[in-house]
Amino acid sequence: MLSSRTEEDVMLMVHRETLTGLVREYGELSRTAPARRTPDVLRRLDAAAYTLCVSTGTRDVHAALLAARHQLRDARPGDGSVHAR
């Protein structure tokens, strides 16, 4: 029997450890004092925000952080997977 799911119904999910690392990296970089935000720190912050958005299917870093935390909360213990509600 064929599934009735379409490509629009399927979203790839980022591995839990990867998503955890992205959230951690963005948090650490965003807490860098403005006076210490070198061009490299700003580039890394922008890259982390972009990757979080792509990884969560969002367009805003704040929405991406909410989605990431939601996905991490719903992760099934033991197998490292993440499931959608």
Side-chain angles (χ1 to χ4, degrees):
M1 178 180 207
L2 295 175
S3 171
S4 61
R5 294 182 115 182
T6 64
E7 286 185 30
E8 292 82 23
D9 294 332
V10 178
M11 181 177 161
L12 295 176
M13 304 301 280
V14 177
H15 195 271
R16 178 185 182 138
E17 284 79 22
T18 301
L19 196 55
T20 300
L22 285 169
V23 170
R24 183 180 311 117
E25 180 180 14
Y26 182 82
E28 289 170 359
L29 291 168
S30 66
R31 286 188 296 274
T32 303
R36 300 189 70 191
R37 289 188 181 178
T38 63
D40 181 58
V41 169
L42 292 173
R43 181 191 54 74
R44 290 174 46 216
L45 182 62
D46 189 49
Y50 173 82
T51 305
L52 272 168
C53 288
V54 170
S55 299
T56 57
T58 60
R59 293 177 183 247
D60 173 80
V61 71
H62 300 293
L65 288 167
L66 287 173
R69 290 181 183 125
H70 179 77
Q71 289 176 21
L72 291 170
R73 184 189 70 224
D74 286 348
R76 289 180 248 151
D79 67 358
S81 67
V82 179
H83 64 90
R85 283 190 163 174

